[in-house]
Amino acid sequence: MHMNDTIPAGMQTKHLPETESDTMPEIVREGNTLFIPMFVREVQREEATSFRFFRVPVRYTGQDTSDFDKCVRQSYKEVREFFYGSAEAQADMEFDHTKTAHILAVKNAIRKPGQSDPPEGIARWNDVKKDFWDLVDEACAVVHKTREDLPSYFNSKMMMDFAKDNGMSAADIASYTLRFVLANVDAQSNGRNWSEFFIND
């Protein structure tokens, strides 16, 4: 049995029903439906260990249930649809600006047969994110600080206040303000948002 103890970064699961079992779950066939346990995590209880997972229903069309990964790939469309969530869930994610990250995380975790590379949007976002943190490091270095001197989360105003408090010139503050605005625009043009710069992938 395949077990993945982590839910991919960016994947939103609050709208998805979870199942818990005292035994390691397996793929189960009930009539013309397969139930595939996905993202199985061990949960330590006082009395014993149990397993939490998503029980994903897909149509049985002759998938190889003896090979977990192969079965998931053979069922990838329906597995993805389950994790994409309902229209209501997607609207909620759209409102929270988490939909793009969620969809890319699902596509990366549940790949098509023959697909070995991550979706293009993930690599593009990783480049945008790296550029952002390079900019943070550059701005910090101007006032002889490092990102470790910043709080674990900050918005652009907090960072500019930090720059002012640490003696950055008005000209540099104006320049970095513009560059951080452009970094945020770059994130938005990729369907992402500022808070996602702080999510560890």
Side-chain angles (χ1 to χ4, degrees):
M1 175 64 208
H2 176 80
M3 187 169 94
N4 184 340
D5 61 0
T6 57
I7 293 169
M11 186 182 286
Q12 304 297 308
T13 60
K14 65 182 179 182
H15 58 281
L16 297 170
E18 283 195 85
T19 301
E20 191 162 329
S21 170
D22 293 335
T23 57
M24 175 66 83
E26 300 283 346
I27 296 171
V28 174
R29 180 181 172 188
E30 295 180 7
N32 290 325
T33 303
L34 290 182
F35 292 92
I36 304 175
M38 298 289 298
F39 304 112
V40 179
R41 287 102 61 216
E42 280 191 17
V43 179
Q44 295 298 325
R45 302 286 183 208
E46 285 183 18
E47 60 279 6
T49 298
S50 62
F51 301 91
R52 283 185 72 80
F53 57 96
F54 301 97
R55 192 170 187 252
V56 182
V58 301
R59 286 169 300 139
Y60 177 65
T61 56
Q63 297 96 316
D64 182 355
T65 57
S66 67
D67 184 327
F68 181 86
D69 291 330
K70 185 177 179 183
C71 183
V72 170
R73 289 201 178 210
Q74 288 173 328
S75 313
Y76 83 94
K77 284 184 182 176
E78 289 179 82
V79 176
R80 281 183 178 181
E81 283 173 14
F82 173 88
F83 283 106
Y84 288 157
S86 65
E88 184 182 354
Q90 289 193 32
D92 189 42
M93 288 185 276
E94 189 86 56
F95 181 79
D96 291 338
H97 306 288
T98 57
K99 184 176 175 183
T100 300
H102 174 73
I103 288 173
L104 286 173
V106 170
K107 285 186 173 184
N108 191 41
I110 297 112
R111 297 187 183 180
K112 299 178 183 179
Q115 179 190 353
S116 56
D117 295 329
E120 184 184 329
I122 288 180
R124 198 166 53 241
W125 171 243
N126 287 340
D127 288 343
V128 170
K129 194 171 175 181
K130 181 184 181 303
D131 289 346
F132 171 81
W133 285 107
D134 286 349
L135 182 59
V136 170
D137 290 338
E138 181 188 320
C140 285
V142 170
V143 292
H144 310 291
K145 299 288 183 180
T146 69
R147 70 172 81 163
E148 283 69 37
D149 296 305
L150 290 163
S152 58
Y153 176 85
F154 52 85
N155 58 32
S156 55
K157 182 185 182 310
M158 290 165 67
M159 185 156 187
M160 291 308 107
D161 288 345
F162 174 83
K164 212 177 286 182
D165 292 344
N166 284 281
M168 184 180 281
S169 71
D172 279 347
I173 288 174
S175 172
Y176 281 111
T177 298
L178 176 60
R179 291 173 70 188
F180 277 108
V181 166
L182 292 174
N184 195 36
V185 168
D186 206 5
Q188 290 174 349
S189 70
N190 281 278
R192 313 302 276 258
N193 66 81
W194 180 275
S195 64
E196 291 182 77
F197 286 130
F198 299 86
I199 296 172
N200 293 320
D201 297 331

mmCIF file of all heavy atoms in Angstrom, residues 118-160:
data_model
loop_
_atom_site.group_PDB
_atom_site.id
_atom_site.type_symbol
_atom_site.label_atom_id
_atom_site.label_comp_id
_atom_site.label_asym_id
_atom_site.label_seq_id
_atom_site.Cartn_x
_atom_site.Cartn_y
_atom_site.Cartn_z
ATOM 1 N N PRO A 118 6.587 18.447 -13.365
ATOM 2 C CA PRO A 118 5.521 19.199 -12.694
ATOM 3 C C PRO A 118 4.831 20.128 -13.695
ATOM 4 O O PRO A 118 5.411 20.481 -14.719
ATOM 5 C CB PRO A 118 6.265 20.019 -11.626
ATOM 6 C CG PRO A 118 7.662 19.563 -11.614
ATOM 7 C CD PRO A 118 7.914 18.790 -12.857
ATOM 8 N N PRO A 119 3.608 20.570 -13.385
ATOM 9 C CA PRO A 119 2.936 21.531 -14.263
ATOM 10 C C PRO A 119 3.773 22.800 -14.430
ATOM 11 O O PRO A 119 4.466 23.223 -13.500
ATOM 12 C CB PRO A 119 1.628 21.849 -13.525
ATOM 13 C CG PRO A 119 1.424 20.708 -12.593
ATOM 14 C CD PRO A 119 2.785 20.201 -12.234
ATOM 15 N N GLU A 120 3.688 23.403 -15.613
ATOM 16 C CA GLU A 120 4.502 24.582 -15.935
ATOM 17 C C GLU A 120 4.297 25.713 -14.925
ATOM 18 O O GLU A 120 5.241 26.418 -14.565
ATOM 19 C CB GLU A 120 4.125 25.073 -17.339
ATOM 20 C CG GLU A 120 4.971 26.235 -17.820
ATOM 21 C CD GLU A 120 4.512 26.759 -19.171
ATOM 22 O OE1 GLU A 120 3.992 25.964 -19.976
ATOM 23 O OE2 GLU A 120 4.667 27.967 -19.401
ATOM 24 N N GLY A 121 3.080 25.886 -14.443
ATOM 25 C CA GLY A 121 2.795 26.975 -13.512
ATOM 26 C C GLY A 121 3.570 26.876 -12.210
ATOM 27 O O GLY A 121 3.835 27.900 -11.565
ATOM 28 N N ILE A 122 3.941 25.665 -11.809
ATOM 29 C CA ILE A 122 4.699 25.496 -10.557
ATOM 30 C C ILE A 122 6.111 26.041 -10.724
ATOM 31 O O ILE A 122 6.612 26.788 -9.879
ATOM 32 C CB ILE A 122 4.712 24.022 -10.116
ATOM 33 C CG1 ILE A 122 3.319 23.634 -9.603
ATOM 34 C CG2 ILE A 122 5.762 23.777 -9.040
ATOM 35 C CD1 ILE A 122 3.185 22.213 -9.130
ATOM 36 N N ALA A 123 6.764 25.685 -11.820
ATOM 37 C CA ALA A 123 8.121 26.181 -12.075
ATOM 38 C C ALA A 123 8.122 27.706 -12.208
ATOM 39 O O ALA A 123 9.009 28.390 -11.680
ATOM 40 C CB ALA A 123 8.687 25.535 -13.338
ATOM 41 N N ARG A 124 7.103 28.238 -12.888
ATOM 42 C CA ARG A 124 7.004 29.690 -13.068
ATOM 43 C C ARG A 124 6.844 30.382 -11.716
ATOM 44 O O ARG A 124 7.487 31.383 -11.436
ATOM 45 C CB ARG A 124 5.836 30.003 -13.999
ATOM 46 C CG ARG A 124 5.877 31.389 -14.606
ATOM 47 C CD ARG A 124 4.918 31.549 -15.762
ATOM 48 N NE ARG A 124 3.559 31.162 -15.430
ATOM 49 C CZ ARG A 124 2.880 30.188 -16.029
ATOM 50 N NH1 ARG A 124 3.438 29.481 -17.000
ATOM 51 N NH2 ARG A 124 1.644 29.903 -15.667
ATOM 52 N N TRP A 125 5.986 29.829 -10.850
ATOM 53 C CA TRP A 125 5.778 30.414 -9.529
ATOM 54 C C TRP A 125 7.043 30.321 -8.685
ATOM 55 O O TRP A 125 7.384 31.259 -7.956
ATOM 56 C CB TRP A 125 4.608 29.740 -8.817
ATOM 57 C CG TRP A 125 4.491 30.148 -7.372
ATOM 58 C CD1 TRP A 125 4.612 29.355 -6.286
ATOM 59 C CD2 TRP A 125 4.247 31.475 -6.866
ATOM 60 N NE1 TRP A 125 4.458 30.089 -5.126
ATOM 61 C CE2 TRP A 125 4.226 31.395 -5.463
ATOM 62 C CE3 TRP A 125 4.046 32.713 -7.478
ATOM 63 C CZ2 TRP A 125 4.021 32.496 -4.655
ATOM 64 C CZ3 TRP A 125 3.833 33.823 -6.661
ATOM 65 C CH2 TRP A 125 3.824 33.707 -5.269
ATOM 66 N N ASN A 126 7.752 29.206 -8.775
ATOM 67 C CA ASN A 126 8.993 29.063 -8.016
ATOM 68 C C ASN A 126 9.999 30.148 -8.399
ATOM 69 O O ASN A 126 10.726 30.667 -7.550
ATOM 70 C CB ASN A 126 9.603 27.672 -8.217
ATOM 71 C CG ASN A 126 8.819 26.591 -7.487
ATOM 72 O OD1 ASN A 126 8.071 26.882 -6.555
ATOM 73 N ND2 ASN A 126 8.987 25.349 -7.907
ATOM 74 N N ASP A 127 10.034 30.517 -9.692
ATOM 75 C CA ASP A 127 10.932 31.592 -10.152
ATOM 76 C C ASP A 127 10.494 32.939 -9.577
ATOM 77 O O ASP A 127 11.325 33.737 -9.129
ATOM 78 C CB ASP A 127 10.945 31.665 -11.685
ATOM 79 C CG ASP A 127 11.689 30.500 -12.325
ATOM 80 O OD1 ASP A 127 12.466 29.824 -11.617
ATOM 81 O OD2 ASP A 127 11.497 30.273 -13.534
ATOM 82 N N VAL A 128 9.173 33.203 -9.601
ATOM 83 C CA VAL A 128 8.637 34.461 -9.062
ATOM 84 C C VAL A 128 8.954 34.554 -7.565
ATOM 85 O O VAL A 128 9.375 35.601 -7.057
ATOM 86 C CB VAL A 128 7.110 34.556 -9.306
ATOM 87 C CG1 VAL A 128 6.498 35.731 -8.548
ATOM 88 C CG2 VAL A 128 6.810 34.672 -10.800
ATOM 89 N N LYS A 129 8.760 33.438 -6.870
ATOM 90 C CA LYS A 129 8.997 33.406 -5.429
ATOM 91 C C LYS A 129 10.482 33.618 -5.098
ATOM 92 O O LYS A 129 10.826 34.352 -4.169
ATOM 93 C CB LYS A 129 8.511 32.052 -4.890
ATOM 94 C CG LYS A 129 8.373 31.984 -3.387
ATOM 95 C CD LYS A 129 7.686 30.686 -3.016
ATOM 96 C CE LYS A 129 7.622 30.502 -1.524
ATOM 97 N NZ LYS A 129 6.969 29.242 -1.153
ATOM 98 N N LYS A 130 11.352 32.986 -5.886
ATOM 99 C CA LYS A 130 12.795 33.167 -5.671
ATOM 100 C C LYS A 130 13.186 34.621 -5.884
ATOM 101 O O LYS A 130 13.963 35.192 -5.107
ATOM 102 C CB LYS A 130 13.592 32.256 -6.605
ATOM 103 C CG LYS A 130 15.103 32.375 -6.411
ATOM 104 C CD LYS A 130 15.873 31.542 -7.394
ATOM 105 C CE LYS A 130 17.382 31.654 -7.165
ATOM 106 N NZ LYS A 130 17.879 33.053 -7.228
ATOM 107 N N ASP A 131 12.646 35.241 -6.942
ATOM 108 C CA ASP A 131 12.944 36.653 -7.206
ATOM 109 C C ASP A 131 12.497 37.530 -6.034
ATOM 110 O O ASP A 131 13.190 38.483 -5.660
ATOM 111 C CB ASP A 131 12.252 37.120 -8.496
ATOM 112 C CG ASP A 131 12.878 36.512 -9.749
ATOM 113 O OD1 ASP A 131 13.993 35.959 -9.653
ATOM 114 O OD2 ASP A 131 12.242 36.592 -10.823
ATOM 115 N N PHE A 132 11.332 37.210 -5.452
ATOM 116 C CA PHE A 132 10.839 37.980 -4.306
ATOM 117 C C PHE A 132 11.817 37.891 -3.140
ATOM 118 O O PHE A 132 12.192 38.916 -2.549
ATOM 119 C CB PHE A 132 9.463 37.457 -3.886
ATOM 120 C CG PHE A 132 8.971 38.032 -2.582
ATOM 121 C CD1 PHE A 132 8.379 39.275 -2.538
ATOM 122 C CD2 PHE A 132 9.101 37.317 -1.389
ATOM 123 C CE1 PHE A 132 7.917 39.815 -1.337
ATOM 124 C CE2 PHE A 132 8.650 37.844 -0.191
ATOM 125 C CZ PHE A 132 8.060 39.101 -0.167
ATOM 126 N N TRP A 133 12.234 36.674 -2.799
ATOM 127 C CA TRP A 133 13.121 36.520 -1.644
ATOM 128 C C TRP A 133 14.520 37.059 -1.923
ATOM 129 O O TRP A 133 15.196 37.549 -0.999
ATOM 130 C CB TRP A 133 13.141 35.062 -1.172
ATOM 131 C CG TRP A 133 11.873 34.739 -0.454
ATOM 132 C CD1 TRP A 133 10.831 33.979 -0.883
ATOM 133 C CD2 TRP A 133 11.478 35.246 0.828
ATOM 134 N NE1 TRP A 133 9.812 33.964 0.040
ATOM 135 C CE2 TRP A 133 10.179 34.730 1.101
ATOM 136 C CE3 TRP A 133 12.068 36.081 1.771
ATOM 137 C CZ2 TRP A 133 9.497 35.030 2.279
ATOM 138 C CZ3 TRP A 133 11.383 36.370 2.954
ATOM 139 C CH2 TRP A 133 10.119 35.845 3.189
ATOM 140 N N ASP A 134 14.965 37.029 -3.167
ATOM 141 C CA ASP A 134 16.231 37.691 -3.528
ATOM 142 C C ASP A 134 16.117 39.195 -3.291
ATOM 143 O O ASP A 134 17.055 39.838 -2.810
ATOM 144 C CB ASP A 134 16.590 37.416 -4.991
ATOM 145 C CG ASP A 134 17.088 35.990 -5.225
ATOM 146 O OD1 ASP A 134 17.362 35.272 -4.230
ATOM 147 O OD2 ASP A 134 17.186 35.583 -6.397
ATOM 148 N N LEU A 135 14.930 39.761 -3.628
ATOM 149 C CA LEU A 135 14.693 41.187 -3.416
ATOM 150 C C LEU A 135 14.666 41.514 -1.921
ATOM 151 O O LEU A 135 15.224 42.537 -1.488
ATOM 152 C CB LEU A 135 13.384 41.595 -4.088
ATOM 153 C CG LEU A 135 12.984 43.072 -4.005
ATOM 154 C CD1 LEU A 135 14.054 43.970 -4.623
ATOM 155 C CD2 LEU A 135 11.638 43.290 -4.697
ATOM 156 N N VAL A 136 14.029 40.653 -1.123
ATOM 157 C CA VAL A 136 14.020 40.846 0.335
ATOM 158 C C VAL A 136 15.449 40.853 0.868
ATOM 159 O O VAL A 136 15.845 41.738 1.646
ATOM 160 C CB VAL A 136 13.188 39.747 1.037
ATOM 161 C CG1 VAL A 136 13.378 39.790 2.560
ATOM 162 C CG2 VAL A 136 11.710 39.871 0.686
ATOM 163 N N ASP A 137 16.249 39.865 0.433
ATOM 164 C CA ASP A 137 17.642 39.784 0.902
ATOM 165 C C ASP A 137 18.441 41.029 0.503
ATOM 166 O O ASP A 137 19.234 41.555 1.292
ATOM 167 C CB ASP A 137 18.313 38.527 0.331
ATOM 168 C CG ASP A 137 17.763 37.243 0.938
ATOM 169 O OD1 ASP A 137 17.201 37.291 2.046
ATOM 170 O OD2 ASP A 137 17.897 36.183 0.290
ATOM 171 N N GLU A 138 18.211 41.480 -0.726
ATOM 172 C CA GLU A 138 18.920 42.671 -1.224
ATOM 173 C C GLU A 138 18.553 43.904 -0.397
ATOM 174 O O GLU A 138 19.432 44.674 0.010
ATOM 175 C CB GLU A 138 18.568 42.881 -2.699
ATOM 176 C CG GLU A 138 19.254 44.077 -3.337
ATOM 177 C CD GLU A 138 18.723 44.353 -4.735
ATOM 178 O OE1 GLU A 138 18.464 43.398 -5.502
ATOM 179 O OE2 GLU A 138 18.556 45.547 -5.065
ATOM 180 N N ALA A 139 17.262 44.089 -0.145
ATOM 181 C CA ALA A 139 16.803 45.248 0.627
ATOM 182 C C ALA A 139 17.346 45.193 2.061
ATOM 183 O O ALA A 139 17.760 46.219 2.620
ATOM 184 C CB ALA A 139 15.285 45.311 0.635
ATOM 185 N N CYS A 140 17.349 44.008 2.648
ATOM 186 C CA CYS A 140 17.870 43.855 4.016
ATOM 187 C C CYS A 140 19.367 44.183 4.075
ATOM 188 O O CYS A 140 19.838 44.841 5.015
ATOM 189 C CB CYS A 140 17.642 42.441 4.518
ATOM 190 S SG CYS A 140 15.933 42.094 4.989
ATOM 191 N N ALA A 141 20.104 43.730 3.057
ATOM 192 C CA ALA A 141 21.556 43.945 3.042
ATOM 193 C C ALA A 141 21.913 45.431 3.021
ATOM 194 O O ALA A 141 22.935 45.839 3.588
ATOM 195 C CB ALA A 141 22.175 43.234 1.838
ATOM 196 N N VAL A 142 21.060 46.253 2.398
ATOM 197 C CA VAL A 142 21.312 47.698 2.325
ATOM 198 C C VAL A 142 21.397 48.303 3.728
ATOM 199 O O VAL A 142 22.164 49.242 3.967
ATOM 200 C CB VAL A 142 20.212 48.398 1.482
ATOM 201 C CG1 VAL A 142 20.307 49.917 1.595
ATOM 202 C CG2 VAL A 142 20.301 47.970 0.025
ATOM 203 N N VAL A 143 20.613 47.752 4.674
ATOM 204 C CA VAL A 143 20.640 48.267 6.052
ATOM 205 C C VAL A 143 21.348 47.289 6.998
ATOM 206 O O VAL A 143 21.128 47.300 8.206
ATOM 207 C CB VAL A 143 19.205 48.593 6.551
ATOM 208 C CG1 VAL A 143 18.642 49.777 5.778
ATOM 209 C CG2 VAL A 143 18.275 47.386 6.441
ATOM 210 N N HIS A 144 22.204 46.439 6.393
ATOM 211 C CA HIS A 144 23.038 45.500 7.159
ATOM 212 C C HIS A 144 22.219 44.550 8.035
ATOM 213 O O HIS A 144 22.561 44.279 9.191
ATOM 214 C CB HIS A 144 24.069 46.261 8.009
ATOM 215 C CG HIS A 144 24.826 47.281 7.214
ATOM 216 N ND1 HIS A 144 25.744 46.932 6.237
ATOM 217 C CD2 HIS A 144 24.766 48.636 7.221
ATOM 218 C CE1 HIS A 144 26.235 48.027 5.688
ATOM 219 N NE2 HIS A 144 25.660 49.080 6.258
ATOM 220 N N LYS A 145 21.111 44.076 7.470
ATOM 221 C CA LYS A 145 20.255 43.101 8.143
ATOM 222 C C LYS A 145 20.085 41.893 7.233
ATOM 223 O O LYS A 145 20.526 41.897 6.090
ATOM 224 C CB LYS A 145 18.881 43.711 8.460
ATOM 225 C CG LYS A 145 18.915 44.929 9.380
ATOM 226 C CD LYS A 145 19.257 44.546 10.805
ATOM 227 C CE LYS A 145 19.210 45.757 11.726
ATOM 228 N NZ LYS A 145 19.531 45.391 13.117
ATOM 229 N N THR A 146 19.435 40.854 7.763
ATOM 230 C CA THR A 146 19.100 39.679 6.955
ATOM 231 C C THR A 146 17.613 39.408 7.128
ATOM 232 O O THR A 146 16.957 39.998 8.007
ATOM 233 C CB THR A 146 19.889 38.422 7.388
ATOM 234 O OG1 THR A 146 19.412 38.010 8.680
ATOM 235 C CG2 THR A 146 21.381 38.692 7.423
ATOM 236 N N ARG A 147 17.077 38.496 6.331
ATOM 237 C CA ARG A 147 15.638 38.194 6.453
ATOM 238 C C ARG A 147 15.297 37.614 7.828
ATOM 239 O O ARG A 147 14.154 37.663 8.261
ATOM 240 C CB ARG A 147 15.170 37.274 5.331
ATOM 241 C CG ARG A 147 15.676 35.862 5.389
ATOM 242 C CD ARG A 147 15.013 34.969 4.358
ATOM 243 N NE ARG A 147 15.576 35.083 3.036
ATOM 244 C CZ ARG A 147 15.388 34.205 2.062
ATOM 245 N NH1 ARG A 147 14.622 33.152 2.272
ATOM 246 N NH2 ARG A 147 15.933 34.356 0.879
ATOM 247 N N GLU A 148 16.306 37.048 8.524
ATOM 248 C CA GLU A 148 16.067 36.527 9.869
ATOM 249 C C GLU A 148 15.689 37.643 10.843
ATOM 250 O O GLU A 148 15.123 37.393 11.906
ATOM 251 C CB GLU A 148 17.297 35.768 10.391
ATOM 252 C CG GLU A 148 17.473 34.365 9.814
ATOM 253 C CD GLU A 148 17.849 34.354 8.337
ATOM 254 O OE1 GLU A 148 18.629 35.240 7.914
ATOM 255 O OE2 GLU A 148 17.350 33.476 7.603
ATOM 256 N N ASP A 149 16.025 38.902 10.494
ATOM 257 C CA ASP A 149 15.675 40.033 11.356
ATOM 258 C C ASP A 149 14.231 40.490 11.147
ATOM 259 O O ASP A 149 13.732 41.326 11.898
ATOM 260 C CB ASP A 149 16.619 41.215 11.078
ATOM 261 C CG ASP A 149 18.058 40.891 11.441
ATOM 262 O OD1 ASP A 149 18.285 40.502 12.608
ATOM 263 O OD2 ASP A 149 18.942 41.005 10.573
ATOM 264 N N LEU A 150 13.582 39.942 10.140
ATOM 265 C CA LEU A 150 12.194 40.290 9.841
ATOM 266 C C LEU A 150 11.249 39.302 10.532
ATOM 267 O O LEU A 150 11.643 38.177 10.832
ATOM 268 C CB LEU A 150 11.953 40.230 8.330
ATOM 269 C CG LEU A 150 12.641 41.322 7.504
ATOM 270 C CD1 LEU A 150 12.674 40.919 6.032
ATOM 271 C CD2 LEU A 150 11.927 42.652 7.676
ATOM 272 N N PRO A 151 9.989 39.699 10.766
ATOM 273 C CA PRO A 151 9.022 38.725 11.313
ATOM 274 C C PRO A 151 8.759 37.614 10.294
ATOM 275 O O PRO A 151 9.086 37.752 9.104
ATOM 276 C CB PRO A 151 7.768 39.570 11.566
ATOM 277 C CG PRO A 151 7.942 40.808 10.764
ATOM 278 C CD PRO A 151 9.410 41.028 10.586
ATOM 279 N N SER A 152 8.165 36.523 10.750
ATOM 280 C CA SER A 152 7.931 35.376 9.855
ATOM 281 C C SER A 152 6.960 35.729 8.729
ATOM 282 O O SER A 152 6.984 35.118 7.667
ATOM 283 C CB SER A 152 7.405 34.175 10.643
ATOM 284 O OG SER A 152 6.214 34.530 11.314
ATOM 285 N N TYR A 153 6.101 36.719 8.968
ATOM 286 C CA TYR A 153 5.245 37.238 7.897
ATOM 287 C C TYR A 153 5.267 38.757 7.978
ATOM 288 O O TYR A 153 5.254 39.329 9.064
ATOM 289 C CB TYR A 153 3.793 36.750 8.044
ATOM 290 C CG TYR A 153 2.890 37.378 6.993
ATOM 291 C CD1 TYR A 153 2.780 36.827 5.728
ATOM 292 C CD2 TYR A 153 2.194 38.568 7.260
ATOM 293 C CE1 TYR A 153 1.994 37.424 4.752
ATOM 294 C CE2 TYR A 153 1.406 39.167 6.285
ATOM 295 C CZ TYR A 153 1.319 38.592 5.032
ATOM 296 O OH TYR A 153 0.558 39.181 4.054
ATOM 297 N N PHE A 154 5.330 39.392 6.835
ATOM 298 C CA PHE A 154 5.283 40.856 6.791
ATOM 299 C C PHE A 154 4.637 41.288 5.482
ATOM 300 O O PHE A 154 4.704 40.583 4.482
ATOM 301 C CB PHE A 154 6.691 41.458 6.896
ATOM 302 C CG PHE A 154 7.674 40.886 5.899
ATOM 303 C CD1 PHE A 154 7.768 41.388 4.600
ATOM 304 C CD2 PHE A 154 8.503 39.834 6.257
ATOM 305 C CE1 PHE A 154 8.660 40.849 3.691
ATOM 306 C CE2 PHE A 154 9.396 39.291 5.341
ATOM 307 C CZ PHE A 154 9.477 39.801 4.056
ATOM 308 N N ASN A 155 3.990 42.442 5.536
ATOM 309 C CA ASN A 155 3.485 43.025 4.296
ATOM 310 C C ASN A 155 4.468 44.108 3.852
ATOM 311 O O ASN A 155 5.467 44.373 4.533
ATOM 312 C CB ASN A 155 2.061 43.559 4.466
ATOM 313 C CG ASN A 155 1.960 44.608 5.562
ATOM 314 O OD1 ASN A 155 2.891 45.365 5.821
ATOM 315 N ND2 ASN A 155 0.810 44.652 6.223
ATOM 316 N N SER A 156 4.197 44.718 2.718
ATOM 317 C CA SER A 156 5.159 45.678 2.169
ATOM 318 C C SER A 156 5.316 46.886 3.092
ATOM 319 O O SER A 156 6.420 47.417 3.254
ATOM 320 C CB SER A 156 4.733 46.114 0.770
ATOM 321 O OG SER A 156 3.413 46.623 0.788
ATOM 322 N N LYS A 157 4.218 47.329 3.737
ATOM 323 C CA LYS A 157 4.315 48.482 4.648
ATOM 324 C C LYS A 157 5.214 48.150 5.836
ATOM 325 O O LYS A 157 6.049 48.969 6.240
ATOM 326 C CB LYS A 157 2.928 48.888 5.136
ATOM 327 C CG LYS A 157 2.976 50.117 6.053
ATOM 328 C CD LYS A 157 1.634 50.460 6.633
ATOM 329 C CE LYS A 157 1.696 51.720 7.502
ATOM 330 N NZ LYS A 157 2.758 51.727 8.495
ATOM 331 N N MET A 158 5.058 46.944 6.391
ATOM 332 C CA MET A 158 5.896 46.541 7.526
ATOM 333 C C MET A 158 7.369 46.539 7.128
ATOM 334 O O MET A 158 8.230 46.964 7.895
ATOM 335 C CB MET A 158 5.475 45.148 8.019
ATOM 336 C CG MET A 158 4.111 45.123 8.697
ATOM 337 S SD MET A 158 3.446 43.433 8.864
ATOM 338 C CE MET A 158 4.596 42.723 10.025
ATOM 339 N N MET A 159 7.632 46.074 5.911
ATOM 340 C CA MET A 159 9.029 46.019 5.482
ATOM 341 C C MET A 159 9.588 47.424 5.272
ATOM 342 O O MET A 159 10.739 47.702 5.613
ATOM 343 C CB MET A 159 9.183 45.195 4.210
ATOM 344 C CG MET A 159 10.646 45.038 3.838
ATOM 345 S SD MET A 159 10.991 43.610 2.850
ATOM 346 C CE MET A 159 12.782 43.697 2.835
ATOM 347 N N MET A 160 8.779 48.324 4.713
ATOM 348 C CA MET A 160 9.264 49.688 4.516
ATOM 349 C C MET A 160 9.454 50.413 5.854
ATOM 350 O O MET A 160 10.393 51.200 6.006
ATOM 351 C CB MET A 160 8.306 50.452 3.606
ATOM 352 C CG MET A 160 8.306 49.964 2.158
ATOM 353 S SD MET A 160 9.970 49.868 1.399
ATOM 354 C CE MET A 160 10.232 48.087 1.333
#
